[in-house]
Amino acid sequence: MAPRTITPFGPQHPVLPEPIQLKLTLEDEKVVDVLPAIGYGHRGIEKACELNEYPKNIYLCERICGICSAIHGMTYCDVVEKLWPLEIPPRAKYLRTIWAEMSRTHSHLLWLGLAVDALGFESMFMQYWRIREKVLDILEMTAGHRVTQSVAVVGGVRRDIDDDQKKHCIEVLKDVRKEAEALNNVLVNDYTVKARTVGKGVLSYDQAIALGCCGPHLRASGVKEDCRQLGYWAYGDLSFEPITAPGGDTYSRVAVRCGELLQAIDLQLEAFAKMPEGDIAAKPKGSPPANEAATRIEQPRGELFYYAKGNGTRNLERLRVRTPTYANIPSLLVMLPGCEMADVAIIVLSIDPCISCTER
Amino acid sequence: MIDKLKEISKDQLLAEVKKYADSKAKFVTGSCNDLGDKLEVTYYFNASPGMDMSALRFVVGKGEEVPSMTGIYLTAVLIENEMKELFGLKVKDLAIDFGGHMMLAQDSPVLPMLKSEDQKAAAQKGGK
């Protein structure tokens, strides 16, 4: 047996936008064991949500993550609405769906940029991020902000999208789709990308289920599961089918996200076409009743789970948030052993880790 | 209310979790609630395929040991460590034990998710 060394990967590493440490046990260049260490970004948001009155928690939950901020805010509102229960207006359901898919579009563009950069394609990284700017621009135009969109309220949404904005969004989305498709075709057919990703970090169908994985990471192992199949908000009215890939490797995870990027744009275009007129919010009566509820929403990285317990006061008794990366980190214990040290970066990146989400 | 919630005792936990694993269900997460002198623990599972969610719940006294389900679902290792250090849930036989410092640092507050006396009083008075 070759001598073993323990090498820390992170918490500061060029491919990691956020801090997580993996203690890698190596035999020469081969990884034989891994132990993840988290806790660098724990902010106690669940506790803070008990101490604030329930409407103020929207702002806190929006700050759990900078990339899917809008989805966190809307998911919080969704679980609190289930405590009454409170039905939101049909137009609000469509608006939530549109902003959720806009978030997925810019999140996947961000990830694809990071992934190709980690593989050494700096010009393609800039191309993905260049077209991502267009999505951030329409997010800013419709929601008022590029990052923390703050569109959700308990009972619906805070802002509407008027006809001029809708027309502009459709034009931009069609343009982004064309450009993204061209880039995706280069990415998934490139020899070097295949050499660096095919057969790397393999997770089988059964392993993905046993390890509780979710999102594109799960679907890249051939599991056809996506919370949007549950038909929440407007998804029940839209033509949605989960995108899967059979390989379970890093290449499959790239391919699934390339497909989901285009699908997210198609869902927005369909939602704009079908969005009904009407109110954008229903007013909740009184405080959330003494009840408990759970909800599941498909975030760009996978299933986002919120649990809320009311006690009849303006404060929640408990809020629990489980983010997709929290579910996907344990799969690294299976995916990394056996790989070369040089492949660790792209394999870790392939789960699209979001550590601020994970630690809350 | 939580649909398909089954209340069990802590002694039934591993047998019930094994049934989920045998049916190829996915473990979603757990949550812990401070009930005063007791802790309420709920584990959530998704059927696969179909994503139908169901849950197991048990209540234990603070200080009582509960078995770890990481021998069946390794992925529960994060939530069990988290409940241990934030709520003081005494989980026995964890597959990976972070020793109370997965989320918290050496100088962090101790068991920060337990209800403070102020919180309990506010809830009894009907909130602020």
Side-chain angles (χ1 to χ4, degrees), chain A residues 160-280:
Chain A
D160 204 347
I161 295 179
D162 65 30
D163 286 344
D164 289 341
Q165 289 175 330
K166 176 176 152 181
K167 195 176 160 198
H168 181 66
C169 286
I170 291 171
E171 281 172 16
V172 170
L173 288 168
K174 285 180 176 171
D175 179 41
V176 169
R177 194 188 194 288
K178 199 172 153 191
E179 292 204 72
E181 195 168 15
L183 285 173
N184 288 353
N185 284 337
V186 174
L187 177 62
V188 298
N189 292 310
D190 183 83
Y191 169 82
T192 312
V193 170
K194 286 183 179 173
R196 290 291 313 276
T197 57
V198 173
K200 310 290 186 191
V202 176
L203 191 72
S204 70
Y205 183 104
D206 287 342
Q207 286 172 326
I209 298 280
L211 289 163
C213 298
C214 61
H217 182 37
L218 174 73
R219 294 188 284 278
S221 292
V223 184
K224 198 172 178 179
E225 288 180 9
D226 187 309
C227 291
R228 290 172 285 179
Q229 291 169 284
L230 302 171
Y232 62 87
W233 299 343
Y235 288 106
D237 300 339
L238 305 180
S239 344
F240 173 73
E241 273 292 312
I243 290 175
T244 61
D249 57 3
T250 300
Y251 181 79
S252 297
R253 294 188 271 280
V254 172
V256 165
R257 289 194 183 91
C258 284
E260 288 193 359
L261 168 61
L262 304 181
Q263 182 188 49
I265 295 172
D266 293 342
L267 287 168
Q268 288 166 75
L269 295 173
E270 190 181 351
F272 273 125
K274 291 183 175 174
M275 184 161 65
E277 295 296 328
D279 293 337
I280 59 167

Side-chain angles (χ1 to χ4, degrees), chain A residues 7-302:
Chain A
T7 303
F9 181 91
Q12 306 300 330
H13 189 282
V15 302
L16 294 174
E18 296 171 279
I20 180 173
Q21 189 185 57
L22 299 169
K23 292 183 177 116
L24 302 172
T25 305
L26 302 175
E27 276 182 11
D28 292 333
E29 289 288 307
K30 194 172 281 292
V31 177
V32 293
D33 198 12
V34 58
L35 180 66
I38 60 175
Y40 298 94
H42 179 58
R43 290 160 288 163
I45 285 180
E46 288 183 8
K47 184 67 177 179
C49 285
E50 293 175 9
L51 305 176
N52 283 303
E53 292 190 3
Y54 80 93
K56 293 182 182 172
N57 290 338
I58 300 170
Y59 311 116
L60 265 174
C61 291
E62 284 165 350
R63 283 156 181 79
I64 288 176
C65 178
I67 304 302
C68 37
S69 166
I71 299 183
H72 272 287
M74 294 190 289
T75 308
Y76 170 76
C77 291
D78 192 83
V79 76
V80 172
E81 285 152 8
K82 284 184 171 158
L83 293 175
W84 270 278
L86 176 67
E87 181 72 14
I88 70 170
R91 188 173 176 85
K93 291 181 182 176
Y94 273 80
L95 288 164
R96 282 188 182 181
T97 303
I98 288 167
W99 277 310
E101 291 306 318
M102 266 186 208
S103 299
R104 191 178 326 277
T105 307
H106 87 76
S107 178
H108 279 3
L109 283 166
L110 176 126
W111 181 83
L112 286 163
L114 292 172
V116 294
D117 186 46
L119 293 171
F121 288 76
E122 291 193 10
S123 59
M124 190 181 270
F125 152 70
M126 287 187 273
Q127 292 299 323
Y128 271 120
W129 280 34
R130 177 181 60 76
I131 60 175
R132 178 173 178 260
E133 284 300 309
K134 297 181 184 183
V135 183
L136 293 177
D137 285 344
I138 57 172
L139 263 172
E140 184 178 13
M141 179 189 74
T142 56
H145 204 287
R146 285 162 55 91
V147 179
T148 312
Q149 285 91 25
S150 203
V151 286
V153 288
V154 175
V157 290
R158 186 186 305 280
R159 301 170 72 115
D160 204 347
I161 295 179
D162 65 30
D163 286 344
D164 289 341
Q165 289 175 330
K166 176 176 152 181
K167 195 176 160 198
H168 181 66
C169 286
I170 291 171
E171 281 172 16
V172 170
L173 288 168
K174 285 180 176 171
D175 179 41
V176 169
R177 194 188 194 288
K178 199 172 153 191
E179 292 204 72
E181 195 168 15
L183 285 173
N184 288 353
N185 284 337
V186 174
L187 177 62
V188 298
N189 292 310
D190 183 83
Y191 169 82
T192 312
V193 170
K194 286 183 179 173
R196 290 291 313 276
T197 57
V198 173
K200 310 290 186 191
V202 176
L203 191 72
S204 70
Y205 183 104
D206 287 342
Q207 286 172 326
I209 298 280
L211 289 163
C213 298
C214 61
H217 182 37
L218 174 73
R219 294 188 284 278
S221 292
V223 184
K224 198 172 178 179
E225 288 180 9
D226 187 309
C227 291
R228 290 172 285 179
Q229 291 169 284
L230 302 171
Y232 62 87
W233 299 343
Y235 288 106
D237 300 339
L238 305 180
S239 344
F240 173 73
E241 273 292 312
I243 290 175
T244 61
D249 57 3
T250 300
Y251 181 79
S252 297
R253 294 188 271 280
V254 172
V256 165
R257 289 194 183 91
C258 284
E260 288 193 359
L261 168 61
L262 304 181
Q263 182 188 49
I265 295 172
D266 293 342
L267 287 168
Q268 288 166 75
L269 295 173
E270 190 181 351
F272 273 125
K274 291 183 175 174
M275 184 161 65
E277 295 296 328
D279 293 337
I280 59 167
K283 199 165 173 57
K285 288 179 184 156
S287 300
N291 193 6
E292 58 180 347
T295 196
R296 293 171 289 166
I297 300 292
E298 191 73 16
Q299 221 192 25
R301 293 167 184 81

Side-chain angles (χ1 to χ4, degrees), chain A residues 299-327:
Chain A
Q299 221 192 25
R301 293 167 184 81
E303 179 186 45
L304 175 63
F305 171 94
Y306 268 62
Y307 162 85
K309 184 177 183 184
N311 56 14
T313 74
R314 298 276 292 172
N315 295 63
L316 291 179
E317 182 75 11
R318 175 86 171 103
L319 182 77
R320 161 89 180 121
V321 180
R322 200 257 13 216
T323 63
T325 302
Y326 198 96

